[in-house]
Amino acid sequence: MASLEELQKRLFRKKDTFQEREQEPTLSPAPMGGPRSWGSGEDPELERQRQQQRARRLMRYALFATVALGTIALVGAAIFFIFLRERASVTREHIFLLIEGPSQITVGEEVVFDVRFRNNNNIPLESVDIIFEYPEGAMPVFGASPRSGPFRERVSVGRLLPNEERHESFRGYLFGNKGDTLIARSTLEYRPQNSSARFGKDVSFEVVVTRSPVGVAIAMPRDAVGGQEVEITVDYVSTTESSLADVSLDVLYPSGFTFVSAEPIPSKDTNLWRLGNVPPGGEGHIRIHGTIDGNAEESKFFTARVGLLDEATNVWSGYGQAIGSLVMRDALLAVSVDIDESIKDGVVPGHHVTFRINWRNNLPVSARNVVLEANLSGVAIDYARVRSQTGSYDSANKRVVWTASQIPEFRFVEPGAAGTVEIEVPVLAQLPIHTLADKNFVVRLDAALYTNTVPEGFVGVETTGKTTASVNVITQFGFVSRGLYRSGVFQNTGPLPPHVAQETTYTVSWSLTSSANDMEGVSARASLPANVRWKNMTSPAGEQVSYDPDTREVVWDAGFVVAGTGYAKPAREVSFQVGLAPGVSDVGRAPVLVSPATAAGTDTFTGFRMEQTSATVTTRLSNDSQVNTNEYEVVQ
């Protein structure tokens, strides 16, 4: 025990060592003898490895055999599938489609297109249709032209057997300009046998227009200055050996051109002439006069067309056309007019238009005794109040003139000299409207800068500069909302003055007026207070008046209001009935029947959006002369 106690002390003693245990004890395995297997002298581990190698070889042989057989099967299936597809599928490449027709035509000639098609597939095509689209501008031989879109025909063929070939013919009149290439198109639509899907194949064909049955020529000056009057001459001649029926001629004008007159007079508007039947070799002439405006060096193009016009659809089938042009030049004595942007698109009656006239000498030499003249026109002008600080106003001839007496510089105007003068033109507050034809008023100014002394070196050369400026007059749009009881179209009921908790009905009348111009898209709307009931009574029956109980809004869709309404003809009116059951809080007051109503619409002549708001309608019926003032306010 002593040794054990000593050992414990040494275990807890610092820096004590156990040298007798510095080497680890080792154990030696006991030797074993005897054979490693029973009944054989071979190693069993070697035998096991040989068996595993044989199993792996067998698995490789099986895998190779499986892959080989699978490859053979896939190749066979692919060959079989390709064979079946070649035998049973339909491809576009095996459908023959062709358009046959003339390669060149004369305008207006009847043309026959032959569409040939063949099924080179091994199975039938079902529900076969041939769609033929004529060249643009073509007309049918029979029936009417389409109102819109291309001219097409569809023919149902039905079933098309393998190797079966057919054809369909299509006839039409072709139109275009000489040198045009017209394109016809055809589509074969089909459904393969035992399939619900539809497919198509397309083909096109080109035709060149080589000749026109009517020759057209247009002549005009090569250039012009702003405001200059020009003459355009259109000549036409038939080049066919047969008559042409229902022929029309029109001229498309460029921007800045103002038509003045024509000989013969146009059949419609200012640019359409119905020539009727034109015999072989028949010819004619049209002379058009008008003024042209534009910027310097701007080209202006005029197009004259001869052909057939379907006025119902406005579709034009042309026999031929001609295009002429002129170039705008600065006048040698140039003049232009500016207008304030605020009134450029329209002026309100009772206001005025200020025209600023700019002049300039573009001659390389001086101009002597120059005159600037401005002529006013338009019945809406208050000619008695026209003013110009520097010009001399001739009220009898409605013109303002500036000479060397008013502008000393005009006595001898140097090259490049320029200046500006002004005219203030007032518009009548009350326009002269007596009939429905009194509408679309315009304030117009025609200015000219000229000299009666021919500048040196410019004998026979037109030096005068001209220009025109105008402002449209905006309509006077009016809207009134009135409350009535004993007047108006309805028989109202209930006490007057209104009593608490008792319903009194009232008539609300709305009226619209438009002085100078037509109005479109006109509507009026207002809302009813919570204590006012809609009585579902409106007049006249033809007016579109509606009430929305959710928003409590009353809407009058007036639509189009003609110029002169309320002036040359009675105002446009509508009436509806409402009921008021006042409360105790309304005693001694005039309750609201309808909120302020707003009417709006568009002036068709100036494009201005117009809007008017009326006053609130209350039981204070000042517009009903049969109601006394002591009947306005609510009593107990």
Side-chain angles (χ1 to χ4, degrees):
M1 290 297 292
S3 61
L4 181 59
E5 293 176 355
E6 181 64 26
L7 179 60
Q8 289 178 342
K9 292 178 180 179
R10 290 180 63 188
L11 285 172
F12 294 98
R13 188 180 301 152
K14 291 183 178 181
K15 299 182 180 180
D16 201 349
T17 60
F18 298 85
Q19 295 181 358
E20 59 270 28
R21 292 293 302 272
E22 289 181 355
Q23 289 187 345
E24 294 289 337
T26 59
L27 296 176
S28 299
M32 297 181 64
R36 292 182 176 271
S37 63
W38 293 93
S40 174
E42 295 183 359
D43 189 346
E45 179 64 23
L46 180 61
E47 180 65 22
R48 185 178 63 80
Q49 292 178 358
R50 289 174 180 172
Q51 290 178 356
Q52 289 178 349
Q53 289 176 355
R54 285 196 295 269
R56 283 196 292 269
R57 282 197 297 269
L58 289 174
M59 289 180 65
R60 281 198 296 270
Y61 294 154
L63 179 61
F64 291 154
T66 302
V67 171
L69 290 174
T71 302
I72 294 171
L74 287 174
V75 171
I79 294 173
F80 183 69
F81 174 76
I82 293 172
F83 174 76
L84 288 181
R85 189 184 68 174
E86 290 296 320
R87 295 290 298 173
S89 66
V90 172
T91 63
R92 291 184 179 87
E93 291 74 16
H94 290 161
I95 296 176
F96 171 75
L97 181 63
L98 178 69
I99 301 176
E100 294 180 336
S103 59
Q104 299 178 344
I105 63 153
T106 298
V107 177
E109 179 182 347
E110 181 181 342
V111 177
V112 178
F113 294 99
D114 198 54
V115 179
R116 294 174 49 210
F117 49 98
R118 177 185 176 89
N119 178 16
N120 291 327
N121 292 281
N122 293 315
I123 64 172
L125 304 180
E126 306 288 351
S127 304
V128 176
D129 285 349
I130 291 293
I131 302 167
F132 187 80
E133 181 178 320
Y134 290 85
E136 184 179 358
M139 293 179 60
V141 174
F142 306 103
S145 300
R147 289 190 171 271
S148 62
F151 171 30
R152 294 191 182 100
E153 284 190 53
R154 177 186 287 265
V155 176
S156 179
V157 176
R159 197 168 197 238
L160 193 64
L161 298 174
N163 299 316
E164 182 180 3
E165 181 174 336
R166 296 192 196 180
H167 72 93
E168 295 289 344
S169 296
F170 300 89
R171 309 166 72 91
Y173 297 107
L174 302 190
F175 294 88
N177 299 312
K178 185 177 179 180
D180 285 354
T181 298
L182 309 180
I183 300 177
R185 295 178 174 85
S186 184
T187 300
L188 186 146
E189 291 186 354
Y190 62 92
R191 177 177 59 82
Q193 188 180 43
N194 301 323
S195 172
S196 60
R198 288 187 66 81
F199 302 91
K201 181 169 183 175
D202 303 317
V203 70
S204 62
F205 182 79
E206 293 185 351
V207 182
V208 178
V209 179
T210 58
R211 186 168 173 266
S212 171
V214 180
V216 188
I218 186 168
M220 65 190 65
R222 297 176 60 181
D223 48 32
V225 298
Q228 179 180 336
E229 183 170 314
V230 295
E231 180 182 272
I232 297 97
T233 302
V234 179
D235 299 317
Y236 63 91
V237 59
S238 171
T239 60
T240 66
E241 297 179 356
S242 58
S243 294
L244 300 173
D246 300 324
V247 178
S248 295
L249 182 149
D250 76 345
V251 179
L252 306 180
Y253 303 129
S255 62
F257 179 79
T258 302
F259 176 86
V260 175
S261 63
E263 184 183 347
I265 298 172
S267 305
K268 181 181 179 182
D269 299 328
T270 61
N271 67 330
L272 177 66
W273 289 262
R274 299 186 183 96
L275 306 180
N277 297 333
V278 178
E283 61 181 40
H285 315 278
I286 295 174
R287 289 180 174 82
I288 304 167
H289 293 268
T291 59
I292 188 74
D293 274 303
N295 299 321
E297 305 307 317
E298 180 183 1
S299 295
K300 299 290 186 178
F301 294 92
F302 295 77
T303 302
R305 303 185 299 180
V306 175
L308 305 179
L309 175 63
D310 186 342
E311 295 190 37
T313 61
N314 204 33
V315 174
W316 185 270
S317 301
Y319 284 137
Q321 70 175 29
I323 299 176
S325 66
L326 57 80
V327 179
M328 299 301 300
R329 307 292 186 190
D330 274 333
L332 296 177
L333 293 177
V335 61
S336 63
V337 178
D338 293 330
I339 303 170
D340 286 341
E341 288 294 329
S342 60
I343 61 169
K344 193 172 184 179
D345 296 325
V347 59
V348 176
H351 290 225
H352 67 270
V353 180
T354 299
F355 293 102
R356 287 185 297 277
I357 306 174
N358 310 301
W359 58 267
R360 181 182 180 86
N361 179 16
N362 289 323
L363 288 163
V365 298
S366 299
R368 299 175 57 191
N369 298 323
V370 172
V371 178
L372 176 59
E373 187 174 306
N375 290 277
L376 300 173
S377 59
V379 296
I381 297 175
D382 186 352
Y383 290 100
R385 298 192 299 117
V386 173
R387 296 288 182 269
S388 174
Q389 291 184 350
T390 56
S392 175
Y393 178 45
D394 178 2
S395 59
N397 293 303
K398 303 175 183 177
R399 67 174 184 169
V400 181
V401 179
W402 293 263
T403 65
S405 299
Q406 288 78 36
I407 303 178
E409 189 178 0
F410 277 7
R411 194 176 307 279
F412 195 81
V413 182
E414 296 287 350
T420 300
V421 296
E422 290 187 354
I423 305 177
E424 187 176 286
V425 181
V427 179
L428 293 169
Q430 298 297 324
L431 299 174
I433 301 172
H434 307 292
T435 69
L436 293 179
D438 297 327
K439 58 187 290 188
N440 298 349
F441 295 92
V442 176
V443 176
R444 175 171 171 147
L445 179 143
D446 294 281
L449 183 68
Y450 62 92
T451 176
N452 293 319
T453 304
V454 179
E456 184 179 353
F458 286 85
V459 176
V461 177
E462 179 61 63
T463 60
T464 300
K466 296 180 180 179
T467 192
T468 298
S470 62
V471 179
N472 296 334
V473 179
I474 301 171
T475 192
Q476 293 163 303
F477 180 52
F479 175 63
V480 176
S481 180
R482 299 175 298 157
L484 306 169
Y485 183 85
R486 296 192 176 95
S487 302
V489 296
F490 301 124
Q491 182 68 41
N492 291 298
T493 60
L496 206 65
H499 286 236
V500 172
Q502 297 184 42
E503 185 180 71
T504 300
T505 63
Y506 294 87
T507 299
V508 178
S509 175
W510 286 350
S511 62
L512 291 166
T513 60
S514 179
S515 63
N517 309 322
D518 295 332
M519 295 282 293
E520 65 181 2
V522 179
S523 65
R525 60 188 65 234
S527 59
L528 304 184
N531 61 343
V532 175
R533 293 177 56 201
W534 173 256
K535 304 300 289 184
N536 202 29
M537 295 284 289
T538 64
S539 178
E543 293 290 353
Q544 302 295 317
V545 181
S546 62
Y547 173 69
D548 187 338
D550 294 328
T551 62
R552 303 189 63 79
E553 187 177 51
V554 182
V555 178
W556 176 22
D557 185 6
F560 195 85
V561 178
V562 300
T565 298
Y567 295 81
K569 63 175 294 188
R572 181 93 169 267
E573 291 192 351
V574 70
S575 298
F576 55 90
Q577 191 179 57
V578 296
L580 169 69
V584 176
S585 61
D586 294 320
V587 174
R589 301 169 56 191
V592 173
L593 297 176
V594 180
S595 70
T598 299
T602 301
D603 183 331
T604 61
F605 186 54
T606 64
F608 271 85
R609 180 71 176 172
M610 312 290 291
E611 185 174 299
Q612 290 288 336
T613 300
S614 70
T616 303
V617 176
T618 69
T619 58
R620 195 174 300 278
L621 307 179
S622 57
N623 292 299
D624 193 335
S625 59
Q626 300 181 42
V627 176
N628 298 321
T629 57
N630 60 359
E631 296 178 301
Y632 292 167
E633 298 176 354
V634 176
V635 297
Q636 188 68 43

mmCIF file of all heavy atoms in Angstrom, residues 401-435:
data_model
loop_
_atom_site.group_PDB
_atom_site.id
_atom_site.type_symbol
_atom_site.label_atom_id
_atom_site.label_comp_id
_atom_site.label_asym_id
_atom_site.label_seq_id
_atom_site.Cartn_x
_atom_site.Cartn_y
_atom_site.Cartn_z
ATOM 1 N N VAL A 401 -53.447 102.649 -98.409
ATOM 2 C CA VAL A 401 -52.376 102.865 -99.381
ATOM 3 C C VAL A 401 -51.231 103.612 -98.709
ATOM 4 O O VAL A 401 -51.448 104.552 -97.933
ATOM 5 C CB VAL A 401 -52.890 103.660 -100.603
ATOM 6 C CG1 VAL A 401 -51.753 103.903 -101.598
ATOM 7 C CG2 VAL A 401 -54.046 102.929 -101.274
ATOM 8 N N TRP A 402 -49.989 103.170 -99.040
ATOM 9 C CA TRP A 402 -48.785 103.868 -98.599
ATOM 10 C C TRP A 402 -48.006 104.294 -99.849
ATOM 11 O O TRP A 402 -47.679 103.453 -100.704
ATOM 12 C CB TRP A 402 -47.893 102.962 -97.755
ATOM 13 C CG TRP A 402 -48.464 102.568 -96.427
ATOM 14 C CD1 TRP A 402 -48.228 103.145 -95.225
ATOM 15 C CD2 TRP A 402 -49.352 101.474 -96.175
ATOM 16 N NE1 TRP A 402 -48.911 102.507 -94.224
ATOM 17 C CE2 TRP A 402 -49.616 101.463 -94.783
ATOM 18 C CE3 TRP A 402 -49.963 100.514 -96.981
ATOM 19 C CZ2 TRP A 402 -50.457 100.528 -94.190
ATOM 20 C CZ3 TRP A 402 -50.793 99.585 -96.387
ATOM 21 C CH2 TRP A 402 -51.036 99.600 -95.005
ATOM 22 N N THR A 403 -47.754 105.564 -99.952
ATOM 23 C CA THR A 403 -46.951 106.100 -101.055
ATOM 24 C C THR A 403 -45.794 106.894 -100.457
ATOM 25 O O THR A 403 -45.595 106.923 -99.232
ATOM 26 C CB THR A 403 -47.803 107.000 -101.964
ATOM 27 O OG1 THR A 403 -48.215 108.153 -101.205
ATOM 28 C CG2 THR A 403 -49.028 106.251 -102.481
ATOM 29 N N ALA A 404 -45.069 107.563 -101.331
ATOM 30 C CA ALA A 404 -43.958 108.394 -100.855
ATOM 31 C C ALA A 404 -44.449 109.520 -99.962
ATOM 32 O O ALA A 404 -43.682 110.067 -99.159
ATOM 33 C CB ALA A 404 -43.184 108.947 -102.047
ATOM 34 N N SER A 405 -45.740 109.848 -100.054
ATOM 35 C CA SER A 405 -46.290 110.890 -99.185
ATOM 36 C C SER A 405 -46.348 110.416 -97.741
ATOM 37 O O SER A 405 -46.159 111.204 -96.808
ATOM 38 C CB SER A 405 -47.694 111.285 -99.656
ATOM 39 O OG SER A 405 -47.652 111.794 -100.969
ATOM 40 N N GLN A 406 -46.636 109.123 -97.536
ATOM 41 C CA GLN A 406 -46.696 108.581 -96.183
ATOM 42 C C GLN A 406 -45.332 108.029 -95.737
ATOM 43 O O GLN A 406 -44.960 108.132 -94.573
ATOM 44 C CB GLN A 406 -47.741 107.453 -96.100
ATOM 45 C CG GLN A 406 -49.183 107.918 -96.157
ATOM 46 C CD GLN A 406 -49.610 108.241 -97.577
ATOM 47 O OE1 GLN A 406 -49.197 107.582 -98.525
ATOM 48 N NE2 GLN A 406 -50.430 109.278 -97.723
ATOM 49 N N ILE A 407 -44.603 107.412 -96.670
ATOM 50 C CA ILE A 407 -43.283 106.849 -96.365
ATOM 51 C C ILE A 407 -42.294 107.467 -97.348
ATOM 52 O O ILE A 407 -42.187 107.026 -98.505
ATOM 53 C CB ILE A 407 -43.286 105.308 -96.493
ATOM 54 C CG1 ILE A 407 -44.355 104.697 -95.577
ATOM 55 C CG2 ILE A 407 -41.913 104.729 -96.151
ATOM 56 C CD1 ILE A 407 -44.467 103.192 -95.680
ATOM 57 N N PRO A 408 -41.576 108.502 -96.962
ATOM 58 C CA PRO A 408 -40.653 109.184 -97.889
ATOM 59 C C PRO A 408 -39.656 108.238 -98.546
ATOM 60 O O PRO A 408 -39.222 108.486 -99.683
ATOM 61 C CB PRO A 408 -39.951 110.197 -96.979
ATOM 62 C CG PRO A 408 -40.935 110.463 -95.886
ATOM 63 C CD PRO A 408 -41.629 109.155 -95.642
ATOM 64 N N GLU A 409 -39.305 107.169 -97.873
ATOM 65 C CA GLU A 409 -38.337 106.217 -98.429
ATOM 66 C C GLU A 409 -38.837 105.597 -99.728
ATOM 67 O O GLU A 409 -38.054 105.131 -100.559
ATOM 68 C CB GLU A 409 -38.052 105.127 -97.393
ATOM 69 C CG GLU A 409 -36.909 104.198 -97.764
ATOM 70 C CD GLU A 409 -36.644 103.162 -96.685
ATOM 71 O OE1 GLU A 409 -37.355 103.186 -95.656
ATOM 72 O OE2 GLU A 409 -35.730 102.335 -96.870
ATOM 73 N N PHE A 410 -40.178 105.565 -99.907
ATOM 74 C CA PHE A 410 -40.742 104.966 -101.116
ATOM 75 C C PHE A 410 -40.430 105.788 -102.371
ATOM 76 O O PHE A 410 -40.599 105.293 -103.485
ATOM 77 C CB PHE A 410 -42.256 104.813 -100.971
ATOM 78 C CG PHE A 410 -42.672 103.567 -100.222
ATOM 79 C CD1 PHE A 410 -41.730 102.753 -99.618
ATOM 80 C CD2 PHE A 410 -44.010 103.205 -100.129
ATOM 81 C CE1 PHE A 410 -42.104 101.613 -98.935
ATOM 82 C CE2 PHE A 410 -44.397 102.064 -99.453
ATOM 83 C CZ PHE A 410 -43.438 101.261 -98.847
ATOM 84 N N ARG A 411 -39.974 107.016 -102.199
ATOM 85 C CA ARG A 411 -39.647 107.830 -103.365
ATOM 86 C C ARG A 411 -38.432 107.264 -104.092
ATOM 87 O O ARG A 411 -38.357 107.309 -105.322
ATOM 88 C CB ARG A 411 -39.375 109.277 -102.926
ATOM 89 C CG ARG A 411 -39.354 110.283 -104.079
ATOM 90 C CD ARG A 411 -39.173 111.699 -103.551
ATOM 91 N NE ARG A 411 -40.155 112.033 -102.533
ATOM 92 C CZ ARG A 411 -41.399 112.426 -102.809
ATOM 93 N NH1 ARG A 411 -41.804 112.525 -104.063
ATOM 94 N NH2 ARG A 411 -42.229 112.722 -101.823
ATOM 95 N N PHE A 412 -37.514 106.689 -103.323
ATOM 96 C CA PHE A 412 -36.292 106.139 -103.918
ATOM 97 C C PHE A 412 -35.819 104.997 -103.005
ATOM 98 O O PHE A 412 -35.122 105.222 -102.026
ATOM 99 C CB PHE A 412 -35.224 107.237 -104.027
ATOM 100 C CG PHE A 412 -34.086 106.880 -104.928
ATOM 101 C CD1 PHE A 412 -34.200 107.021 -106.306
ATOM 102 C CD2 PHE A 412 -32.892 106.402 -104.409
ATOM 103 C CE1 PHE A 412 -33.142 106.698 -107.138
ATOM 104 C CE2 PHE A 412 -31.837 106.076 -105.238
ATOM 105 C CZ PHE A 412 -31.954 106.223 -106.616
ATOM 106 N N VAL A 413 -36.259 103.761 -103.327
ATOM 107 C CA VAL A 413 -35.979 102.608 -102.466
ATOM 108 C C VAL A 413 -34.700 101.927 -102.938
ATOM 109 O O VAL A 413 -34.632 101.410 -104.061
ATOM 110 C CB VAL A 413 -37.151 101.603 -102.478
ATOM 111 C CG1 VAL A 413 -36.859 100.441 -101.535
ATOM 112 C CG2 VAL A 413 -38.450 102.295 -102.094
ATOM 113 N N GLU A 414 -33.698 101.924 -102.082
ATOM 114 C CA GLU A 414 -32.415 101.327 -102.425
ATOM 115 C C GLU A 414 -32.521 99.795 -102.469
ATOM 116 O O GLU A 414 -33.397 99.201 -101.838
ATOM 117 C CB GLU A 414 -31.360 101.727 -101.380
ATOM 118 C CG GLU A 414 -31.058 103.211 -101.329
ATOM 119 C CD GLU A 414 -30.251 103.669 -102.530
ATOM 120 O OE1 GLU A 414 -29.773 102.798 -103.292
ATOM 121 O OE2 GLU A 414 -30.111 104.888 -102.715
ATOM 122 N N PRO A 415 -31.616 99.132 -103.211
ATOM 123 C CA PRO A 415 -31.592 97.659 -103.216
ATOM 124 C C PRO A 415 -31.409 97.116 -101.793
ATOM 125 O O PRO A 415 -30.565 97.596 -101.038
ATOM 126 C CB PRO A 415 -30.388 97.320 -104.093
ATOM 127 C CG PRO A 415 -30.208 98.522 -104.963
ATOM 128 C CD PRO A 415 -30.606 99.699 -104.129
ATOM 129 N N GLY A 416 -32.234 96.140 -101.418
ATOM 130 C CA GLY A 416 -32.144 95.532 -100.096
ATOM 131 C C GLY A 416 -32.887 96.271 -99.013
ATOM 132 O O GLY A 416 -32.991 95.774 -97.882
ATOM 133 N N ALA A 417 -33.418 97.458 -99.315
ATOM 134 C CA ALA A 417 -34.154 98.217 -98.303
ATOM 135 C C ALA A 417 -35.437 97.468 -97.935
ATOM 136 O O ALA A 417 -36.069 96.830 -98.773
ATOM 137 C CB ALA A 417 -34.474 99.610 -98.823
ATOM 138 N N ALA A 418 -35.818 97.549 -96.643
ATOM 139 C CA ALA A 418 -36.993 96.814 -96.168
ATOM 140 C C ALA A 418 -37.651 97.592 -95.042
ATOM 141 O O ALA A 418 -37.045 98.485 -94.433
ATOM 142 C CB ALA A 418 -36.602 95.420 -95.690
ATOM 143 N N GLY A 419 -38.898 97.241 -94.742
ATOM 144 C CA GLY A 419 -39.618 97.902 -93.666
ATOM 145 C C GLY A 419 -40.912 97.179 -93.353
ATOM 146 O O GLY A 419 -41.266 96.178 -93.993
ATOM 147 N N THR A 420 -41.648 97.701 -92.358
ATOM 148 C CA THR A 420 -42.897 97.089 -91.912
ATOM 149 C C THR A 420 -43.915 98.175 -91.600
ATOM 150 O O THR A 420 -43.565 99.211 -91.014
ATOM 151 C CB THR A 420 -42.669 96.229 -90.657
ATOM 152 O OG1 THR A 420 -41.734 95.200 -90.947
ATOM 153 C CG2 THR A 420 -43.973 95.596 -90.181
ATOM 154 N N VAL A 421 -45.175 97.921 -91.982
ATOM 155 C CA VAL A 421 -46.284 98.802 -91.624
ATOM 156 C C VAL A 421 -47.379 97.936 -91.012
ATOM 157 O O VAL A 421 -47.377 96.708 -91.154
ATOM 158 C CB VAL A 421 -46.820 99.570 -92.850
ATOM 159 C CG1 VAL A 421 -45.758 100.503 -93.415
ATOM 160 C CG2 VAL A 421 -47.309 98.602 -93.924
ATOM 161 N N GLU A 422 -48.341 98.564 -90.326
ATOM 162 C CA GLU A 422 -49.398 97.817 -89.657
ATOM 163 C C GLU A 422 -50.772 98.378 -89.995
ATOM 164 O O GLU A 422 -50.925 99.575 -90.254
ATOM 165 C CB GLU A 422 -49.209 97.844 -88.138
ATOM 166 C CG GLU A 422 -48.021 97.047 -87.642
ATOM 167 C CD GLU A 422 -47.980 96.971 -86.124
ATOM 168 O OE1 GLU A 422 -48.825 97.643 -85.477
ATOM 169 O OE2 GLU A 422 -47.122 96.256 -85.586
ATOM 170 N N ILE A 423 -51.760 97.455 -89.969
ATOM 171 C CA ILE A 423 -53.171 97.839 -90.092
ATOM 172 C C ILE A 423 -53.931 97.142 -88.970
ATOM 173 O O ILE A 423 -53.759 95.937 -88.749
ATOM 174 C CB ILE A 423 -53.781 97.403 -91.438
ATOM 175 C CG1 ILE A 423 -52.986 97.939 -92.616
ATOM 176 C CG2 ILE A 423 -55.228 97.870 -91.548
ATOM 177 C CD1 ILE A 423 -53.523 97.466 -93.955
ATOM 178 N N GLU A 424 -54.779 97.881 -88.294
ATOM 179 C CA GLU A 424 -55.636 97.307 -87.262
ATOM 180 C C GLU A 424 -57.049 97.194 -87.823
ATOM 181 O O GLU A 424 -57.680 98.193 -88.159
ATOM 182 C CB GLU A 424 -55.628 98.185 -86.011
ATOM 183 C CG GLU A 424 -56.373 97.569 -84.840
ATOM 184 C CD GLU A 424 -56.271 98.420 -83.592
ATOM 185 O OE1 GLU A 424 -55.186 98.426 -82.974
ATOM 186 O OE2 GLU A 424 -57.267 99.100 -83.261
ATOM 187 N N VAL A 425 -57.524 95.934 -87.932
ATOM 188 C CA VAL A 425 -58.823 95.666 -88.556
ATOM 189 C C VAL A 425 -59.770 95.110 -87.495
ATOM 190 O O VAL A 425 -59.598 93.976 -87.037
ATOM 191 C CB VAL A 425 -58.677 94.670 -89.722
ATOM 192 C CG1 VAL A 425 -60.032 94.418 -90.377
ATOM 193 C CG2 VAL A 425 -57.670 95.183 -90.742
ATOM 194 N N PRO A 426 -60.792 95.877 -87.073
ATOM 195 C CA PRO A 426 -61.735 95.390 -86.061
ATOM 196 C C PRO A 426 -62.794 94.473 -86.676
ATOM 197 O O PRO A 426 -63.158 94.603 -87.845
ATOM 198 C CB PRO A 426 -62.363 96.677 -85.523
ATOM 199 C CG PRO A 426 -62.261 97.640 -86.656
ATOM 200 C CD PRO A 426 -61.027 97.282 -87.433
ATOM 201 N N VAL A 427 -63.278 93.547 -85.856
ATOM 202 C CA VAL A 427 -64.335 92.622 -86.267
ATOM 203 C C VAL A 427 -65.625 93.032 -85.563
ATOM 204 O O VAL A 427 -65.623 93.385 -84.377
ATOM 205 C CB VAL A 427 -63.968 91.166 -85.902
ATOM 206 C CG1 VAL A 427 -65.082 90.210 -86.310
ATOM 207 C CG2 VAL A 427 -62.662 90.777 -86.562
ATOM 208 N N LEU A 428 -66.730 92.998 -86.294
ATOM 209 C CA LEU A 428 -68.022 93.375 -85.727
ATOM 210 C C LEU A 428 -68.363 92.501 -84.522
ATOM 211 O O LEU A 428 -68.149 91.280 -84.544
ATOM 212 C CB LEU A 428 -69.116 93.233 -86.779
ATOM 213 C CG LEU A 428 -69.053 94.209 -87.969
ATOM 214 C CD1 LEU A 428 -70.028 93.772 -89.051
ATOM 215 C CD2 LEU A 428 -69.356 95.629 -87.504
ATOM 216 N N ALA A 429 -68.908 93.133 -83.497
ATOM 217 C CA ALA A 429 -69.339 92.369 -82.323
ATOM 218 C C ALA A 429 -70.592 91.564 -82.639
ATOM 219 O O ALA A 429 -70.765 90.440 -82.156
ATOM 220 C CB ALA A 429 -69.588 93.312 -81.148
ATOM 221 N N GLN A 430 -71.478 92.137 -83.454
ATOM 222 C CA GLN A 430 -72.681 91.444 -83.892
ATOM 223 C C GLN A 430 -72.537 91.152 -85.381
ATOM 224 O O GLN A 430 -72.603 92.053 -86.209
ATOM 225 C CB GLN A 430 -73.928 92.301 -83.626
ATOM 226 C CG GLN A 430 -74.169 92.603 -82.157
ATOM 227 C CD GLN A 430 -74.425 91.334 -81.352
ATOM 228 O OE1 GLN A 430 -75.059 90.399 -81.838
ATOM 229 N NE2 GLN A 430 -73.936 91.310 -80.118
ATOM 230 N N LEU A 431 -72.341 89.898 -85.710
ATOM 231 C CA LEU A 431 -72.116 89.523 -87.104
ATOM 232 C C LEU A 431 -73.412 89.631 -87.904
ATOM 233 O O LEU A 431 -74.503 89.392 -87.371
ATOM 234 C CB LEU A 431 -71.571 88.095 -87.173
ATOM 235 C CG LEU A 431 -70.223 87.876 -86.474
ATOM 236 C CD1 LEU A 431 -69.866 86.396 -86.473
ATOM 237 C CD2 LEU A 431 -69.127 88.683 -87.150
ATOM 238 N N PRO A 432 -73.315 89.968 -89.188
ATOM 239 C CA PRO A 432 -74.517 90.126 -90.026
ATOM 240 C C PRO A 432 -75.093 88.773 -90.446
ATOM 241 O O PRO A 432 -74.858 88.293 -91.559
ATOM 242 C CB PRO A 432 -73.997 90.919 -91.230
ATOM 243 C CG PRO A 432 -72.552 90.532 -91.336
ATOM 244 C CD PRO A 432 -72.080 90.320 -89.925
ATOM 245 N N ILE A 433 -75.859 88.163 -89.553
ATOM 246 C CA ILE A 433 -76.448 86.847 -89.819
ATOM 247 C C ILE A 433 -77.946 87.028 -90.017
ATOM 248 O O ILE A 433 -78.671 87.376 -89.079
ATOM 249 C CB ILE A 433 -76.164 85.876 -88.657
ATOM 250 C CG1 ILE A 433 -74.655 85.717 -88.456
ATOM 251 C CG2 ILE A 433 -76.813 84.520 -88.917
ATOM 252 C CD1 ILE A 433 -74.281 84.946 -87.220
ATOM 253 N N HIS A 434 -78.399 86.799 -91.251
ATOM 254 C CA HIS A 434 -79.813 86.959 -91.577
ATOM 255 C C HIS A 434 -80.423 85.661 -92.089
ATOM 256 O O HIS A 434 -81.621 85.437 -91.927
ATOM 257 C CB HIS A 434 -79.982 88.065 -92.628
ATOM 258 C CG HIS A 434 -79.319 89.354 -92.237
ATOM 259 N ND1 HIS A 434 -79.763 90.140 -91.191
ATOM 260 C CD2 HIS A 434 -78.227 89.994 -92.742
ATOM 261 C CE1 HIS A 434 -78.982 91.207 -91.072
ATOM 262 N NE2 HIS A 434 -78.041 91.143 -92.002
ATOM 263 N N THR A 435 -79.602 84.819 -92.718
ATOM 264 C CA THR A 435 -80.063 83.521 -93.209
ATOM 265 C C THR A 435 -79.052 82.459 -92.788
ATOM 266 O O THR A 435 -77.948 82.775 -92.327
ATOM 267 C CB THR A 435 -80.199 83.516 -94.745
ATOM 268 O OG1 THR A 435 -78.889 83.589 -95.332
ATOM 269 C CG2 THR A 435 -81.042 84.694 -95.231
#
